[in-house]
């Protein structure tokens, strides 16, 4: 080992007086280390400080056989310890040999540097710790402390137990890593004591470790588990059973929201009667005062406000844009910022967001500086705006992207599934698609793989099979990736009524949910076959030899494959015969003769028909319900049809009542039973539940 030696200028002048110490320093100056060492050792009793200093000077030099860092350490400390007790006159004499406190500390630091070098070679917690204990003055002390603590922290991380981090904190309470160690300790203590994931385990943790910050999460888990079914009675039981849980306020609000799903004053009175201890009395009074009016947006001179269903303005047009009221609140935009107002036009949540969504189950997604978070009805953050992307809640979870990876948060904002996916999708029926390294798989709501990422493109086919999409075909496999024997699928539809249409060798057949072929590939391919040939209920449209018919789930032909054209499967099916269209039922009985230029199967109680270039609709008796005078007609909802003549549109009921005149440029659904109608710069509404056209009354 090569040791760096600090060369000390011992003296520039040595007085010519007798004595071993004088001769010793002379010998040292002349590099006569043997003589110098012998003379310094003889002078120990009479010149204790000078002799130890001289010996330390020899031991620390690596150009002589006496080089010994440990000996240098002990001798320089003796010199330092006794130097202060010397008389000033004596110190002046010693200074002539280059010996003063600065020279002592210089050698001491040189010794420490050598000892630090030895510690770095050993590079162990014990080596650094020993150095720290013996060299409190060393300039390398901060580095040694950091390295010691880092090694000890790393060792604790490898053990990954709360006991390991508890030991670290006891040994090094002042470490710069103490906060990280405390964090790890708290997390592991929480994990170790709640691994079973039961309410009892979380309650026990809270009682046994009240100072652990994860007690807050333990309370969240008690809340989550107790109310997992999201029922009024679950929240009521939780409030009664756990009155000190921090989620009591949330539980009351959730109970109220669920109970008040109808939002009527009568329902509110009943709520007060059943829950007299509800803590937010003033909010109940306000809800009563507002009376749960239905308010809808209107526009005036480029600004927006709200009106009631009679068109009476209740909140003047003063916002750049607004939404519908959901759960008593509506978002509004003012000066480029978004907030939420109640029906009294009070800013319940201030205008501080870059964007926001409607409230849903007491939660609203908000945007701040291009990052997304989630707030509750009070405006408090459930999830801070630190995510690049947030989905919508489904099955109690929402996907969230932080940095580059996706994970899932629960309704309380807790990280239920850690960020680990390159892409993620919303849950549906307890499953969510995720991707890792460009391979897709499916997880359940606990983050457990139902289908591990094995294929570039995969979808759930049935409760036991997946569909794998390759460049030119489809294959079926079990959830574990084991492929099953099937025909080569050039195209594959979704499972409906336990049947899925497939195309193989340009022929069409059907398989069931187990991947078994139940109807052989014997039918002809036709345009849009995957969607139009799908089973609806127990029936599907098929084609052979350029003709069309209908089969049942077992492949039995229920309508002969003899029609030149057939519309989609319905209660009454449009067919073409000799260039004209009519309607048959599922027994192949002609219900409405073929007299029209074109027809579409019955939907929402009517069949669309066409004479020449205009269209209308008939009922099951063949009576014209919607006049044949429109360029297009299509279902709007279960009881209404939208009609178009040129560039203008209107709305009919399935009974033939014109409820919205054909005066509007555009009609689109915006909220439940509300449809937005645009007419130039005017905004009107159609309220389908009451067949009501709403115009603002300025």
């Amino acid at each position: 080992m090569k040791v760096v030696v600090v060369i000390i200028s011992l003296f520039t002048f040595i007085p010519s007086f007798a004595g071993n110490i004088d001769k010793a320093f002379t010998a040292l100056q002349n590099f006569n280390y043997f003589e110098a060492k012998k003379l310094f050792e003889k002078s120990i009793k009479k010149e204790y400080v000078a002799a130890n200093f001289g010996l330390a000077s020899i031991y620390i030099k690596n150009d002589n056989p006496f080089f010994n860092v440990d000996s240098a350490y002990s001798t320089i400390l003796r010199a330092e310890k006794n130097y202060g007790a010397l008389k000033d006159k004596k110190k002046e004499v010693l200074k002539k040999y280059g010996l003063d406190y600065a020279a002592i500390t210089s050698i001491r630091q040189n010794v420490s540097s050598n000892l630090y070098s030895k510690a770095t070679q050993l590079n162990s917690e014990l080596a650094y710790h020993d150095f720290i204990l013996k060299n409190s003055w060393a300039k390398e002390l901060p580095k040694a402390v950091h390295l010691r603590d880092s090694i000890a922290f790393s060792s604790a991380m490898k053990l990954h137990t709360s006991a390991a981090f508890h030991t670290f904190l006891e040994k090094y309470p002042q470490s710069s890593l103490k906060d990280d160690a405390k964090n790890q300790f708290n997390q592991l203590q929480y994990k170790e004591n709640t691994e079973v994931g039961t309410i009892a385990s979380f309650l026990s943790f809270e009682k046994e470790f009240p100072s652990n910050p994860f007690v807050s999460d333990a309370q969240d888990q008690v809340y989550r588990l107790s109310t997992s079914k999201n029922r009024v009675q679950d929240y009521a039981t939780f409030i009664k059973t756990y009155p000190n849980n921090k989620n009591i306020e949330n539980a009351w609000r959730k109970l109220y929201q669920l109970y008040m799903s109808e939002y009527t004053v009568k329902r509110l009175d009943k709520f007060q009667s059943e829950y007299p201890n509800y803590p937010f009395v003033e909010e109940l009074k306000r809800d009563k005062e507002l009376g749960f009016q239905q308010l809808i947006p209107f526009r005036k001179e480029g600004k927006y406000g709200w009106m009631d269903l009679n068109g009476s303005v209740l909140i003047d047009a003063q916002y750049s844009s607004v939404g519908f009221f959901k759960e008593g609140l509506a978002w509004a935009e003012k000066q480029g910022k978004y907030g939420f107002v109640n029906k009294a036009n009070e800013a319940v949540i201030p205008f501080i967001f870059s964007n926001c969504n409607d409230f849903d189950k007491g939660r609203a997604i908000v945007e701040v500086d291009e990052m997304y978070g989630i707030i509750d009805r009070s405006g408090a953050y459930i999830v801070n705006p630190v995510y690049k992307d947030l989905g919508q809640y489904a099955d109690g979870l929402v996907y969230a992207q932080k940095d580059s990876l996706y994970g899932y948060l629960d309704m309380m904002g807790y990280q239920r599934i850690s960020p680990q996916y390159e892409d993620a999708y919303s849950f549906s029926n307890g499953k969510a698609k995720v991707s890792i390294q460009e391979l897709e798989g499916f997880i359940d709501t606990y983050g457990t793989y139902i289908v591990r990422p094995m294929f570039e493109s995969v979808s759930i086919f049935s409760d036991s099979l997946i569909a794998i999409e390759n460049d030119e075909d489809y294959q079926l496999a079990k959830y574990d990736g084991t492929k099953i024997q099937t025909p080569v699928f050039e195209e594959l539809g979704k499972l409906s009524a336990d049947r899925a249409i497939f195309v193989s060798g340009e022929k069409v057949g059907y398989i069931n949910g187990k991947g078994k072929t139940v109807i052989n590939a014997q039918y002809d391919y036709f345009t849009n076959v995957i969607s139009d040939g799908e089973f609806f209920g127990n029936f599907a449209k098929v084609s052979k030899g350029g003709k069309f018919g209908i089969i049942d789930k077992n492949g039995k032909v229920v309508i002969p494959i003899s029609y030149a054209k057939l519309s989609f499967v319905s209660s009454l099916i449009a067919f073409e015969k000799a260039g004209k269209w009519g309607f048959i039922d599922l027994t192949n009985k002609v219900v409405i003769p073929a007299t029209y230029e074109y027809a579409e199967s019955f939907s929402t109680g009517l069949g669309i028909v066409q004479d020449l270039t205009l269209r209308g609709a008939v009922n099951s008796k063949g009576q014209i319900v919607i006049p044949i005078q429109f360029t297009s007609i299509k279902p709007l909802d279960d009881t209404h049809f939208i009609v178009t003549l040129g560039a203008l549109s209107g709305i009919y009921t399935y009974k033939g009542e014109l409820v919205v005149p054909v005066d509007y440029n555009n009609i689109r659904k915006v909220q439940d039973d509300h449809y937005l109608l645009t007419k130039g710069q005017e905004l009107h509404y159609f309220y389908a539940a009451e067949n009501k056209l709403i115009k603002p009354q300025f």
Side-chain angles (χ1 to χ4, degrees):
M1 175 182 71
K2 185 176 180 181
V3 181
V4 178
V5 180
V6 178
I7 300 175
I8 302 170
S9 176
L10 295 175
F11 45 86
T12 58
F13 170 77
I14 300 177
S16 57
F17 58 85
N20 288 332
I21 200 69
D22 178 63
K23 294 176 183 178
F25 276 108
T26 300
L28 180 61
Q29 184 185 34
N30 294 324
F31 307 106
N32 188 349
Y33 297 119
F34 287 92
E35 182 67 17
K37 180 175 181 294
K38 181 176 70 174
L39 292 170
F40 280 131
E41 288 173 343
K42 285 183 178 181
S43 305
I44 283 288
K45 289 184 178 180
K46 291 184 178 181
E47 297 290 344
Y48 190 78
V49 172
N52 276 290
F53 175 82
L55 288 170
S57 300
I58 294 171
Y59 291 140
I60 197 58
K61 291 177 179 290
N62 63 357
D63 60 351
N64 70 82
F66 305 114
F67 172 71
N68 188 307
V69 179
D70 292 332
S71 296
Y73 178 85
S74 60
T75 51
I76 197 63
L77 287 191
R78 292 189 198 115
E80 179 194 30
K81 182 178 180 181
N82 291 276
Y83 180 79
L86 296 176
K87 293 180 179 180
D88 291 342
K89 186 177 180 180
K90 182 66 174 178
K91 290 179 180 178
E92 283 299 317
V93 172
L94 294 178
K95 190 178 290 186
K96 295 175 182 180
Y97 297 106
L99 195 166
D100 57 13
Y101 191 71
I104 290 173
T105 56
S106 178
I107 290 180
R108 186 184 65 179
Q109 177 55 54
N110 193 3
V111 170
S112 294
S113 295
N114 277 269
L115 290 173
Y116 179 72
S117 180
K118 288 174 66 177
T120 58
Q121 288 186 357
L122 294 171
N123 197 36
S124 68
E125 177 188 352
L126 183 61
Y128 288 121
H129 189 62
D130 185 59
F131 173 83
I132 292 163
L133 291 176
K134 295 178 179 179
N135 297 269
S136 59
W137 56 82
K139 66 181 182 182
E140 295 89 356
L141 190 68
K143 292 181 181 178
V145 170
H146 175 73
L147 290 169
R148 177 201 66 185
D149 293 359
S150 297
I151 291 172
F153 188 88
S154 179
S155 297
M157 283 294 288
K158 288 178 181 177
L159 292 172
H160 207 60
T161 63
S162 61
F165 284 101
H166 183 263
T167 300
F168 176 90
L169 290 165
E170 281 193 328
K171 287 167 67 176
Y172 311 121
Q174 303 303 319
S175 171
S176 63
L177 298 172
K178 66 180 184 297
D179 290 340
D180 290 339
K182 186 67 175 173
N183 247 353
Q184 290 291 331
F185 169 76
N186 288 329
Q187 287 186 43
L188 289 166
Q189 187 182 66
Y190 179 46
K191 180 181 178 182
E192 290 163 3
N193 286 276
T194 60
E195 280 185 327
V196 292
T198 61
I199 290 177
S201 69
F202 291 115
L203 290 173
S204 176
F205 174 81
E206 181 182 356
K207 182 178 180 181
E208 191 173 350
F209 308 104
S211 62
N212 189 305
F214 282 88
V215 162
S216 175
D217 188 73
Q219 290 193 346
D220 287 345
Q221 300 316 310
V222 171
Y223 178 51
R224 179 182 65 84
L225 292 168
S226 300
T227 59
S228 60
K229 294 183 179 179
N230 204 38
R231 301 176 303 185
V232 168
Q233 59 265 39
D234 297 328
Y235 289 99
T237 300
F238 172 82
I239 290 165
K240 183 178 179 181
T241 308
Y242 309 110
N244 296 319
N245 189 289
K246 73 184 183 75
N247 292 290
I248 287 296
E249 180 177 319
N250 287 334
W252 272 118
R253 291 189 182 279
K254 190 66 175 178
L255 185 154
Y256 176 64
Q257 291 168 6
L258 289 172
Y259 192 96
M260 293 300 298
S261 58
E262 296 177 17
Y263 274 90
T264 66
V265 174
K266 183 178 179 181
R267 183 71 173 169
L268 191 150
D269 289 336
K270 188 176 179 183
F271 175 82
Q272 281 185 300
S273 175
E274 289 188 29
Y275 300 99
N277 295 325
Y278 184 68
F280 310 110
V281 178
E282 292 303 314
E283 292 181 14
L284 292 182
K285 289 180 180 178
R286 165 155 296 170
D287 281 348
K288 267 191 177 181
E289 291 169 3
L290 295 173
F292 302 106
Q293 311 107 306
Q294 286 200 57
L295 302 185
I296 55 178
F298 74 91
R299 180 172 64 191
K300 182 180 181 181
E301 297 176 355
K303 295 289 186 180
Y304 292 84
W306 288 272
M307 61 184 178
D308 64 19
L309 296 184
N310 294 316
S312 299
V313 174
L314 298 184
I315 299 176
D316 290 332
Q318 56 193 275
Y319 299 104
S320 302
S321 62
V322 298
F324 282 80
F325 279 91
K326 289 284 192 70
E327 300 181 2
L329 299 176
W331 61 262
E333 179 191 4
K334 182 192 290 185
Q335 296 177 345
K337 294 292 184 179
Y338 291 78
F340 291 85
V341 300
N342 62 17
K343 291 179 181 178
N345 196 32
E346 295 173 336
V348 176
I349 299 173
F351 292 80
I352 58 174
F353 306 112
S354 307
N355 211 333
C356 60
N357 288 353
D358 294 326
F359 269 93
D360 181 27
K361 298 176 183 176
R363 309 286 189 268
I365 295 175
V366 294
E367 179 185 349
V368 179
D369 297 331
E370 298 184 355
M371 303 297 277
Y372 297 92
I374 300 174
I375 59 172
D376 64 18
R377 284 171 53 86
S378 70
Y381 280 110
I382 296 169
V383 175
N384 289 324
V386 295
Y387 292 95
K388 293 180 180 179
D389 188 15
L390 276 177
Q392 296 292 333
Y393 275 107
D395 291 344
L397 297 174
V398 57
Y399 66 75
Q401 181 192 24
K402 192 173 184 180
D403 299 323
S404 61
L405 298 177
Y406 284 86
Y408 289 84
L409 309 174
D410 66 11
M411 292 291 287
M412 303 306 298
Y414 183 74
Q415 189 80 56
R416 187 58 49 211
I417 301 173
S418 63
Q420 56 191 287
Y421 311 111
E422 294 167 2
D423 204 356
Y425 299 81
S426 294
F427 274 89
S428 177
N429 298 320
K431 302 179 185 72
K433 181 185 286 191
V434 295
S435 67
I436 291 181
Q437 296 181 345
E438 299 184 356
L439 299 177
E440 295 182 345
F442 283 85
I443 58 172
D444 65 16
T445 54
Y446 297 96
T448 303
Y449 279 112
I450 299 169
V451 178
R452 301 194 67 82
M454 295 176 282
F455 307 102
E456 291 184 3
S457 181
V458 65
S459 59
I460 297 293
F461 179 73
S462 68
D463 58 5
S464 61
L465 298 178
I466 55 174
I468 305 160
E469 183 177 354
N470 302 310
D471 291 338
E472 297 180 355
D473 59 33
Y474 293 80
Q475 290 179 288
L476 292 180
K478 297 178 181 179
Y479 282 6
D480 64 5
T482 304
K483 295 178 182 178
I484 66 171
Q485 189 69 33
T486 63
V488 175
F489 300 136
E490 295 154 15
E491 295 184 55
L492 180 65
K494 294 180 180 179
L495 197 66
S496 174
D498 196 37
R499 296 291 184 271
I501 187 171
F502 70 85
V503 178
S504 179
E506 298 187 0
K507 289 294 183 178
V508 176
Y510 295 85
I511 58 175
N512 62 17
K514 295 181 179 180
K516 180 181 178 181
T517 300
V518 288
I519 301 174
N520 291 326
Q522 57 185 292
Y523 298 106
D524 295 343
Y525 186 92
F526 59 89
T527 304
N528 299 323
V529 67
I530 295 298
S531 58
D532 290 357
E534 183 180 85
F535 265 88
F536 291 91
N538 292 320
F539 305 99
K541 182 171 78 172
V542 295
S543 176
K544 262 188 180 181
K547 301 292 184 179
F548 292 88
I550 293 177
I551 60 173
D552 67 12
K553 288 178 64 174
N554 297 315
K556 179 183 177 182
V557 176
V558 294
I559 292 181
I561 306 173
S562 59
Y563 290 93
K565 292 180 182 178
L566 277 181
S567 187
F568 55 85
V569 176
S570 177
S571 57
L572 292 181
I573 305 159
F575 72 93
E576 183 194 35
K577 184 177 182 180
K580 295 291 184 179
W581 286 78
F583 296 87
I584 55 174
D585 63 18
L586 287 167
T587 68
N588 199 31
K589 177 184 176 183
V590 176
V591 178
I592 300 173
T595 59
Y596 296 101
E597 300 294 329
Y598 174 74
E600 292 178 7
S601 298
F602 268 63
S603 176
T604 63
L606 298 180
I608 295 172
V609 295
Q610 177 178 321
D611 269 342
L612 298 178
T613 60
L614 298 179
R615 296 187 177 189
V618 297
N619 62 19
S620 59
K621 296 180 180 179
Q623 298 167 331
I624 296 174
V625 176
I626 298 176
I628 305 174
Q629 57 188 35
F630 302 104
T631 49
S632 74
I633 178 171
K634 59 184 178 180
L636 184 65
D637 56 30
D638 290 342
T639 57
H640 296 87
F641 287 80
I642 182 170
V643 298
T644 302
L645 183 59
L648 300 178
S649 299
I651 298 175
Y652 273 88
T653 70
Y654 75 104
K655 293 182 179 180
E657 178 185 1
L658 180 64
V659 288
V660 174
V662 187
D663 293 335
Y664 292 92
N665 305 114
N666 190 29
I667 298 174
R668 64 184 177 89
K669 187 174 185 177
V670 288
Q671 167 84 9
D672 299 328
D673 289 329
H674 293 93
Y675 292 85
L676 180 65
L677 317 173
T678 58
K679 184 179 183 180
Q681 293 300 308
E682 296 181 46
L683 294 183
H684 299 165
Y685 290 89
F686 173 61
Y687 183 41
E690 298 180 5
N691 286 328
K692 188 173 187 178
L693 180 62
I694 305 168
K695 302 179 183 180
Q697 305 298 312
F698 299 138

